Amino acid sequence: FGGHPQACGFSLKNPALLEDFKKTLLAKATSGLAKTDLTPVINIDAEVQLEDITWELYDVLSKFEPIGVGNPMPRYMARKLKIHNIENVGNDGKHVRIHVTHSSGVIRKIIGFYCSEICELFKTGDEIDAIFEVGVNEWNGTRELQLKIVDIKIAGAQNDEIIKSNV
């Protein structure tokens, strides 16, 4: 029981039983999930060209707020984005901003929070497939569409070759 449907909590009457509890719980989970496919799946709402992501789309999406449990943020996929620049950003360098082009050649930015290791895996000229959510970045008096990375991989790579996932 908790404050929302995904919350749960409990306590043990005797904390000395914690290790036994963990072993029993693990055994039950292992047997109960033996025939369950636990491969992570990311559902997308549409495959798009980056040029499809506009302020008009954002205005339509904002009419579906509030976003949350039962009303998740829409996710989009774009294939074969060509990397023009990739850089660590943020005070601690834990985030990554990637400048990419798509079919029109217009350079767009996508951002991955806590994905700094991506900078080591990709390089300028690589083609990537990306799943992202659309939001707004307002900073220093500037307002721009922000494409937040949910998942990213080398273009054409199989599902088991996914490089980074935030889910």
Side-chain angles (χ1 to χ4, degrees), residues 43-49 52-53 74-78 130-132:
N43 294 316
I44 61 168
D45 294 285
E47 186 169 332
V48 297
Q49 302 292 313
D52 297 332
I53 308 301
R75 292 183 169 169
Y76 301 94
M77 176 182 220
I131 298 173
F132 55 88

Side-chain angles (χ1 to χ4, degrees), residues 70-103:
N71 189 30
M73 179 76 76
R75 292 183 169 169
Y76 301 94
M77 176 182 220
R79 297 181 193 268
K80 294 190 174 187
L81 304 174
K82 184 175 181 181
I83 296 176
H84 284 268
N85 185 34
I86 185 166
E87 60 186 324
N88 287 13
V89 294
N91 291 338
D92 52 11
K94 290 185 180 178
H95 315 305
V96 64
R97 181 182 301 128
I98 306 173
H99 295 93
V100 295
T101 56
H102 213 205
S103 56

Side-chain angles (χ1 to χ4, degrees), residues 48-51 53-55 76 78 81-89 95-102 104-113 128 130-150 152:
V48 297
Q49 302 292 313
L50 283 186
E51 296 75 19
I53 308 301
T54 63
W55 283 106
Y76 301 94
L81 304 174
K82 184 175 181 181
I83 296 176
H84 284 268
N85 185 34
I86 185 166
E87 60 186 324
N88 287 13
V89 294
H95 315 305
V96 64
R97 181 182 301 128
I98 306 173
H99 295 93
V100 295
T101 56
H102 213 205
S104 75
V106 174
I107 294 178
R108 299 287 297 266
K109 293 182 260 184
I110 59 176
I111 189 157
F113 295 104
I128 58 173
I131 298 173
F132 55 88
E133 297 172 346
V134 178
V136 173
N137 178 28
E138 295 187 50
W139 186 77
N140 231 7
T142 303
R143 187 172 188 251
E144 64 182 356
L145 289 173
Q146 177 168 275
L147 310 181
K148 186 179 97 178
I149 297 169
V150 172
I152 188 169

